[in-house]
Amino acid sequence: LNMELVNKPFKKPGWRSLKKTRNLKQILTQEKSKRVEDHHINVYALPSMTPQKKYCDITGLEAKYTDPKTRLRYHSTEVYQLIKNQPIGVVQRYLGLRNAAVVLK
């Protein structure tokens, strides 16, 4: 099957890429010739003022609520019912996934 003879309606017949392909040696010599100042190594920015988003520990959706007993975040009442029925060991594993492991009594 010759791919040049196949009709390609998504491709314009006279189109050519503007990018030049380069081999590895050309790329490495270009990177050596660049000065360090050309690279944006240090970026000074203030911390974000918007609060960090919190996600449900069970579903991964945005969490609107937090269970006061287990400290698990949940998205809806259906998830809360599921959290209430979980044994403490399972809750500890969910908390451990987000590095918030707390010893529950």
Side-chain angles (χ1 to χ4, degrees):
L1 179 67
N2 190 352
M3 291 305 291
E4 292 188 14
L5 299 177
V6 176
N7 184 20
K8 301 172 197 137
F10 58 88
K11 188 173 179 183
K12 292 182 182 178
W15 185 82
R16 290 214 151 227
S17 174
L18 299 176
K19 284 186 177 181
K20 287 185 177 181
T21 57
R22 297 179 289 166
N23 60 26
L24 180 62
K25 186 175 180 181
Q26 291 172 331
I27 293 171
L28 291 175
T29 55
Q30 182 184 9
E31 286 181 357
K32 284 181 184 178
S33 67
K34 282 186 177 181
R35 292 179 293 158
V36 176
E37 297 135 20
D38 291 343
H39 297 287
H40 299 286
I41 295 173
N42 295 326
V43 177
Y44 297 102
L46 296 174
S48 176
M49 298 304 290
T50 58
Q52 185 177 8
K53 285 191 176 185
K54 297 176 182 174
Y55 295 98
C56 176
D57 292 315
I58 309 297
T59 63
L61 299 172
E62 194 167 346
K64 301 174 188 171
Y65 316 103
T66 303
D67 181 21
K69 182 180 176 188
T70 62
R71 295 287 183 219
L72 282 177
R73 297 177 184 145
Y74 59 95
H75 175 72
S76 63
T77 56
E78 292 87 12
V79 178
Y80 180 67
Q81 295 300 323
L82 180 73
I83 290 172
K84 283 181 23 179
N85 298 330
Q86 296 294 326
I88 293 176
V90 174
V91 171
Q92 288 291 343
R93 287 190 212 132
Y94 276 120
L95 289 171
L97 286 174
R98 69 173 159 105
N99 295 327
V102 178
V103 177
L104 298 175
K105 295 178 183 179

